[in-house]
Amino acid sequence: MAHGGFLRDHSDNPELASHMMHDYTQAQLDPQTRAMLDFAAKLTRTPAAMTQDDVQRLRNHGLSDEQILSTVLITCNFNFMTRLADSLGVEPPAGRQESHSQWMSDSAKSQDWLMTPRT
């Protein structure tokens, strides 16, 4: 709710923000954004049900592999942080939040640990 409230307060479209908070499927979204949100929702709710078809669907909507990876990373990070905060009632230390924000906003290619093949 905090994120949705922030979006509503800082958005040029409060109706869209409300839909995003309560039910994104009711919002007027372009097909690519809808596909990303459907992917993120499935990854959040039923991660074991994810298949290569889900990834291909994003490719079919014009997302590059890097954009797909970013979608996965942002979804996983958000889920992790939400579950951490919800279960323990804590906020991450200030320095950690900054590194998480950088991780989520920088190009996935800049993350050497992620993009470098294992040897």
Side-chain angles (χ1 to χ4, degrees):
M1 292 303 284
H3 293 106
F6 179 86
L7 179 61
R8 191 173 45 244
D9 291 344
H10 293 85
S11 173
D12 292 335
N13 187 341
E15 182 180 347
L16 174 62
S18 290
H19 282 308
M20 296 304 289
M21 259 176 46
H22 300 291
D23 183 2
Y24 76 90
T25 65
Q26 300 304 307
Q28 295 292 323
L29 301 170
D30 62 88
Q32 188 180 67
T33 301
R34 170 96 48 204
M36 284 190 299
L37 291 172
D38 289 344
F39 182 94
K42 182 176 179 180
L43 180 57
T44 298
R45 294 180 182 134
T46 57
M50 299 300 291
T51 68
Q52 283 299 311
D53 288 341
D54 297 303
V55 173
Q56 188 58 49
R57 195 168 299 113
L58 292 180
R59 287 184 183 125
N60 293 345
H61 278 91
L63 273 75
S64 68
D65 285 349
E66 183 180 353
Q67 291 171 314
I68 294 168
L69 178 60
S70 291
T71 301
V72 170
L73 292 173
I74 290 167
T75 302
C76 291
N77 188 54
F78 184 83
N79 287 333
F80 170 76
M81 296 304 291
T82 299
R83 282 160 181 76
L84 177 69
D86 288 350
S87 64
L88 300 176
V90 298
E91 295 291 327
R96 290 303 232 175
Q97 185 60 40
E98 184 177 305
S99 66
H100 286 190
S101 295
Q102 180 182 7
W103 180 55
M104 289 175 50
S105 63
D106 284 350
S107 167
K109 287 182 180 176
S110 69
Q111 308 299 322
D112 291 335
W113 63 272
L114 183 64
M115 299 302 287
T116 304
R118 292 183 184 164
T119 55

